[in-house]
């Protein structure tokens, strides 16, 4: 037997894939800056470029991997542009999310609504700075969404293949907005309803972050339903695990690594799965303390430490870690028999580990 016969298949080149996606975004924004719109447009583009720096690009990477998994071959430029369009759509979602969540930092830099205030400090009179920043962020998010669509529709794709992708893109956007709405409704309403918290996760993250990007890439390559179903079976548990990790990092992470503060979810009173599990297990005293502290917009470091202590003491933190492990295992088990090309299967295994063991 040749030695190479037992080697696992080489995974796809994620670093190169990311570079190509970033370069597609860069070329698109450069073309927009040179376009016919007025002379203040470069300011907006500069803010958008600043915001785009530093993301993990998980959705574009999954989109290209999905394409390859489904047999995509030849020129990867069109699918790369489609993948890049997902990152612009993500920028829209995050810019607005930071307004909704009152988050001042994103990817280690000021969130867009804060960046607008700084960019225009001292140039306005009679306009509330906070309101100005929020308005600017709404516009920047709108622009990112509009350009995401433009980039997709100019992806040089064959019209039939692009048409096959659109239903999945439409679902992705609708599911994400619906999930964000459920998240909004649950904010400030602490509850022990873990199933309700997980429903939010499925809409706002599992479909949006893992399942639909894979489907979009795969349908572009002409995937059949069996292949799409296998992607769903991998993506749903992994997407849940991804958000559960995000919830833990959002409270226990290191801001220098995550690029996000660890007080926002607590000050907002987000009813994450972690909080729902703690609520179920809390003693009367612990529940009273959570009620007094969660959702307090002025919660200080000591208050945050008290909440963290309760999340740990109730066993909620350990339980969320176990849920992440279980779901990662489920996703990896799907790969054992999934009908994907071997290099894509290997890459999806790597991505599952990266997405659940991440520190940012
Ligand atoms: C953040 O997404 C929002 C969630 C769905 C958890 P990412 O964790 O992919 O953020 P970036 O794009 O890498 O900054
Ligand atoms: C954001 O969810 C999900 C989106 C669909 C944009 P979160 O609010 O939990 O994510 P972070 O922690 O701010 O990145
Ligand atoms: Mg949010
Ligand atoms: Mg948020």
């Amino acid at each position: 037997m040749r030695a190479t016969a037992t080697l696992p298949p080489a995974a796809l080149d994620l670093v190169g894939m990311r570079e190509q996606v970033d370069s597609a975004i860069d070329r698109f924004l450069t073309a927009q800056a040179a376009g016919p719109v007025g002379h203040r447009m470069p300011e907006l583009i500069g803010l958008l470029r600043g915001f785009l720096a530093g993301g993990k690009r998980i959705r574009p990477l999954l989109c290209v991997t999905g394409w390859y998994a489904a047999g995509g071959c030849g020129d990867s430029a069109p699918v790369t542009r489609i993948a890049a369009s997902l990152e612009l759509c993500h920028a829209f979602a995050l810019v607005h999310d930071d307004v909704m969540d009152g988050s001042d930092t994103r990817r280690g830099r000021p969130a867009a609504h804060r960046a607008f205030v700084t960019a225009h400090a001292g140039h306005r009179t009679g306009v509330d700075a906070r309101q100005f920043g929020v308005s600017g962020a709404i516009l920047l998010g709108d622009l990112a969404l509009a350009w995401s669509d433009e980039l997709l529709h100019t992806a040089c794709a064959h019209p039939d293949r692009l048409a096959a992708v659109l239903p999945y893109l439409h679902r992705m956007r609708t599911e994400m907005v619906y999930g964000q709405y459920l998240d909004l409704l649950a904010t400030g309403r602490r509850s022990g309803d873990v199933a309700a918290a997980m429903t939010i996760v499925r809409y706002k993250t599992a479909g949006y972050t893992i399942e639909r990007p894979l489907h979009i890439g795969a349908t572009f390559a002409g995937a059949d339903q069996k292949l799409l179903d296998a992607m769903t079976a991998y993506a749903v548990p992994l997407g849940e695990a991804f958000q559960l990790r995000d919830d833990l990092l959002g409270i226990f992470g290191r801001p220098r690594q995550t690029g996000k503060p660890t007080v926002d979810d607590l000050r907002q009173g987000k009813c994450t799965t972690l909080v729902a599990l703690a609520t179920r297990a809390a003693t009367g005293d612990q529940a009273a303390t959570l009620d007094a502290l969660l959702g307090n917009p002025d919660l200080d470091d000591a208050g945050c430490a008290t909440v963290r202590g309760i999340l740990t003491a109730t066993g909620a933190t350990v339980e969320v870690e176990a849920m992440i492990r279980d779901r990662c295992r489920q996703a990896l088990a799907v790969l054992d028999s999934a009908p994907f090309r071997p290099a894509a299967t290997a890459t999806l295994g790597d991505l599952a580990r990266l997405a659940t063991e991440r520190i940012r």
Side-chain angles (χ1 to χ4, degrees):
M1 192 193 294
R2 291 214 320 261
T4 50
T6 54
L7 286 176
L12 303 174
D13 172 16
L14 290 175
V15 174
M17 219 186 262
R18 186 195 159 119
E19 281 168 8
Q20 286 176 8
V21 166
D22 283 352
S23 132
I25 295 175
D26 181 54
R27 282 196 305 276
F28 178 81
L29 294 180
T30 301
Q32 291 291 350
V37 183
H39 73 286
R40 306 296 298 259
M41 191 49 113
E43 279 169 37
L44 277 177
I45 293 175
L47 284 160
L48 184 55
R49 280 189 190 280
F51 189 84
L52 285 163
K56 294 183 289 296
R57 305 287 189 262
I58 184 129
R59 295 155 194 84
L61 294 178
L62 283 164
C63 176
V64 178
T65 303
W67 174 77
Y68 189 82
C73 56
D75 183 11
S76 63
V79 75
T80 300
R81 282 172 73 83
I82 292 174
S85 83
L86 298 187
E87 192 61 25
L88 285 180
C89 179
H90 184 47
F92 137 75
L94 292 184
V95 166
H96 286 188
D97 181 71
D98 288 338
V99 171
M100 293 187 284
D101 290 351
S103 302
D104 285 345
T105 313
R106 166 74 62 185
R107 296 171 169 171
R109 305 164 62 120
H113 61 104
R114 301 297 311 166
F116 268 98
V117 173
T118 309
H120 290 269
H123 294 289
R124 286 162 288 105
T125 52
V127 180
D128 172 62
R130 196 193 147 275
Q131 182 58 45
F132 175 83
V134 167
S135 301
I138 291 171
L139 286 174
L140 192 72
D142 292 346
L143 186 68
L145 180 61
W147 281 355
S148 154
D149 228 43
E150 191 173 326
L151 182 49
L152 177 85
H153 286 284
T154 53
C156 309
H158 191 283
D160 289 350
R161 287 166 67 205
L162 195 54
V165 162
L166 290 180
Y168 295 93
L169 175 80
H170 296 158
R171 266 179 239 167
M172 182 193 90
R173 296 189 305 209
T174 304
E175 286 164 354
M176 185 274 286
V177 171
Y178 181 64
Q180 289 285 70
Y181 182 55
L182 294 183
D183 183 283
L184 176 67
L185 292 177
T187 299
R189 295 170 62 91
R190 191 172 64 81
S191 133
D193 191 342
V194 174
M198 289 305 291
T199 299
I200 300 175
V201 167
R202 271 192 287 283
Y203 282 110
K204 83 167 183 179
T205 304
Y208 169 64
T209 300
I210 316 280
E211 183 188 23
R212 299 310 180 193
L214 277 172
H215 282 174
I216 288 166
T219 46
F220 191 61
D224 62 15
Q225 193 57 47
K226 184 165 169 260
L227 197 125
L228 297 179
D229 289 346
M231 285 178 171
T232 298
Y234 160 85
V236 171
L238 180 60
E240 290 177 2
F242 183 80
Q243 182 63 46
L244 293 171
R245 173 64 63 212
D246 198 72
D247 292 345
L248 281 175
L249 289 172
I251 294 177
F252 292 96
R254 292 168 192 264
R256 289 174 74 114
Q257 288 169 339
T258 62
K260 300 187 271 200
T262 48
V263 295
D264 295 348
D265 280 6
L266 304 179
R267 286 187 180 156
Q268 287 263 320
K270 288 283 176 197
C271 193
T272 58
T273 306
L274 180 63
V275 169
L277 287 166
T279 296
R280 271 193 183 173
T283 62
D285 283 353
Q286 287 171 330
T289 306
L290 287 178
D291 277 337
L293 299 180
L294 282 177
N296 173 358
D298 301 317
L299 194 66
D300 59 12
D301 286 350
C304 288
T306 302
V307 176
R308 285 189 198 104
I310 293 175
L311 296 174
T312 304
T314 52
T317 313
V318 169
E319 213 166 326
V320 170
E321 287 287 0
M323 289 173 78
I324 294 172
R325 267 197 312 279
D326 268 8
R327 281 159 176 75
C328 184
R329 244 182 252 133
Q330 279 176 44
L332 291 173
V334 169
L335 296 180
D336 289 341
S337 57
F340 309 145
R341 282 160 94 189
T345 304
T347 303
L348 291 173
D350 290 347
L351 284 170
R353 284 178 280 270
L354 282 173
T356 50
E357 291 164 11
R358 68 198 169 104
I359 53 167
R360 72 183 184 98

